[in-house]
């Protein structure tokens, strides 16, 4: 039984505008049947995605430790200790690498793209292996050096590209290739964040746009296998640490109120990404633009070192209520600008954690005012804001809720508030006909 968004499907096919710009709302015309041969490919894809994810995260941590000269501890502490001049120089070097890396990949592999969304929705699941793996390596290195972009783009791309390569070797049809590539992308994300169920739902809700029992099985299998494989190298604990959050009426009412506001913030964020992506430079300008933009981000990081990196440290700081209101306001404006600018310069990177960070900053800022009227746990405010903005930005409410629960390992106290906030955010974003942060990055046809 398919549980896809059929109402939107009809509207997409019948009109040339509106939600037609949202390809992941279109159900597959034919849900492929799962043969024994495909299950072998699913297992192999899971293993390869897990190995690729672990290798890329080792590369990311190596780049970070080399850039900021530290052997242990967290990234933000190392950035702060490195000093202001080194932040600017490190970001300038990352920008130069982004531009030169793009040029070298184009020279080595020829023209063409390596975007997972484009491959799934436009190119029948085809991804060039060399170009994709090369892009993943450059992406993860510049994030390790401090680029304000998400780290998940690299493992998603690597997992999808390896699945596409397997599909070509096995000579499977288009429907199965598209399914396997989507599973590989979701498995790559699951392996580096330790979110097997969230990775599977990302595959279904975001990349395939349909919750189907038949499709759920390979999505779950690849994500679980990839996550288990990555455990040989990566930590097995939650990505974010937070103290116990008790269930409270304060959190529930806060969630109802912040949901629509989070939806509006997500709409603005998605539109910012669309503008940035549409204005990406072409030709030789793409060699210079990352250097200029990244250097500017490095200069902003002199007073605000939290801007560097994908935003993981920002989320953790909000969970511990370690940021004062003026800093929250500044980062709420500067982090999205830094990320959109970095993406718009032509650099390759993800948006998952920067989106989480934006939502966590919003939740923490509003929560600080809310506690004066009705006290509640600071960590709860940040998690609720993060989930609501993520859901509306990805247009994936179920995946967003599950991923936040897996990232923080909290279920009982936050389940209802998360659902309330996500519902409010989704209602606002859908009423404004907002696409996802993935579909706005599709090239114009």
């Amino acid at each position: 039984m398919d549980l896809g968004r059929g109402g939107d499907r009809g509207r997409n096919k019948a009109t040339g505008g509106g939600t037609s710009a949202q390809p992941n709302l279109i159900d597959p015309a034919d849900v492929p049947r799962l043969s024994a041969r495909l299950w072998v490919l699913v297992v192999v894809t899971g293993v390869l995605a897990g190995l690729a994810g672990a290798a890329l995260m080792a590369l990311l941590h190596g780049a970070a430790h080399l850039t900021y000269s530290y052997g242990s501890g967290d990234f933000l502490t190392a950035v702060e200790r490195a000093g202001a001049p080194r932040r600017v120089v490190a970001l300038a070097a990352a920008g130069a690498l982004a531009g030169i890396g793009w040029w070298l990949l184009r020279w080595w592999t020829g023209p063409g793209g390596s975007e997972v969304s484009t491959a799934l929705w436009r190119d029948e699941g085809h991804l060039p292996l060399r170009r994709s793996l090369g892009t993943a390596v450059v992406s993860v290195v510049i994030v390790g050096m401090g680029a304000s972009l998400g780290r998940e783009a690299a493992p998603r791309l690597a997992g999808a590209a390896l699945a596409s390569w397997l599909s070509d070797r096995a000579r499977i049809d288009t429907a199965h290739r598209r399914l396997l590539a989507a599973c590989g992308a979701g498995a790559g994300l699951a392996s580096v964040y330790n979110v097997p169920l969230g990775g599977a739902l990302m595959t279904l809700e975001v990349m395939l746009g349909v919750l189907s029992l038949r499709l759920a099985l390979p999505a779950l299998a690849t994500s679980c296998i990839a996550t288990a494989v990555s455990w040989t190298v990566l930590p097995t604990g939650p990505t974010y640490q937070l103290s116990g959050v008790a269930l409270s009426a304060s959190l529930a009412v806060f969630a109802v109120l912040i949901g629509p506001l989070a939806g509006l913030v997500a709409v603005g964020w998605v539109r910012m990404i669309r503008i940035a992506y549409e204005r990406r430079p072409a030709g030789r300008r793409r060699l210079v633009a990352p250097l200029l933009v990244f250097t500017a981000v490095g200069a902003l990081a002199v007073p605000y070192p939290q801007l560097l990196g994908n935003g993981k440290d920002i989320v953790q700081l909000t969970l511990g209520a370690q940021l004062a209101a003026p800093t929250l306001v500044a980062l709420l404006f500067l982090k999205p600008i830094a990320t959109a600018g970095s993406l718009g310069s032509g650099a390759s990177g993800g948006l998952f954690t920067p989106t989480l960070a934006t939502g966590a900053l919003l939740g923490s800022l509003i929560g600080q005012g809310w506690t004066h009227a009705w006290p509640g746990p600071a960590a709860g405010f940040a998690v609720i804001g993060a989930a609501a903005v993520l859901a509306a930005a990805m247009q994936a409410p179920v995946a967003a809720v599950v991923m936040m629960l897996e990232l923080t390992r909290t279920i009982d106290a936050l389940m209802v508030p998360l659902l309330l906030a996500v519902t409010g955010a989704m209602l606002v974003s859908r009423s404004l006909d907002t696409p996802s942060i993935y579909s706005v990055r599709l090239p114009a046809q």
Side-chain angles (χ1 to χ4, degrees), residues 133-172:
L133 293 182
T135 300
V137 168
V138 172
S139 174
V140 83
V141 169
I142 64 173
V143 173
M145 296 175 71
S148 183
L149 292 165
R151 63 175 179 168
E152 89 286 349
R156 283 181 67 239
L157 181 57
L162 289 167
S164 175
W165 175 78
L166 281 175
S167 299
D168 291 338
R169 294 296 177 274
R171 297 182 180 179
I172 60 178

Side-chain angles (χ1 to χ4, degrees), residues 255-322:
V256 172
L257 297 177
I258 200 176
L261 178 59
L264 289 174
V265 170
V267 170
W269 171 232
V270 171
R271 291 179 179 177
M272 186 183 295
I273 294 300
R274 169 182 279 165
I275 293 171
Y277 207 76
E278 288 175 348
R279 297 183 179 180
R280 283 163 70 95
R284 294 183 179 179
R285 291 184 300 167
R286 198 164 174 180
L287 274 168
V288 180
L291 173 61
L292 298 177
V293 173
F294 279 42
T295 302
V297 173
L300 288 173
V302 172
Y304 296 105
Q306 302 92 341
L307 289 175
L308 298 190
N310 64 348
K312 177 184 176 182
D313 291 305
I314 289 178
V315 177
Q316 189 60 59
L317 289 172
T318 61
L319 294 177
Q322 295 175 270

Side-chain angles (χ1 to χ4, degrees), residues 39 118 131 237 241 258 266 350 355 401 424-425 428:
W39 276 112
T118 303
R131 180 65 172 264
Q241 306 290 332
I258 200 176
T355 303
V401 170
V428 169

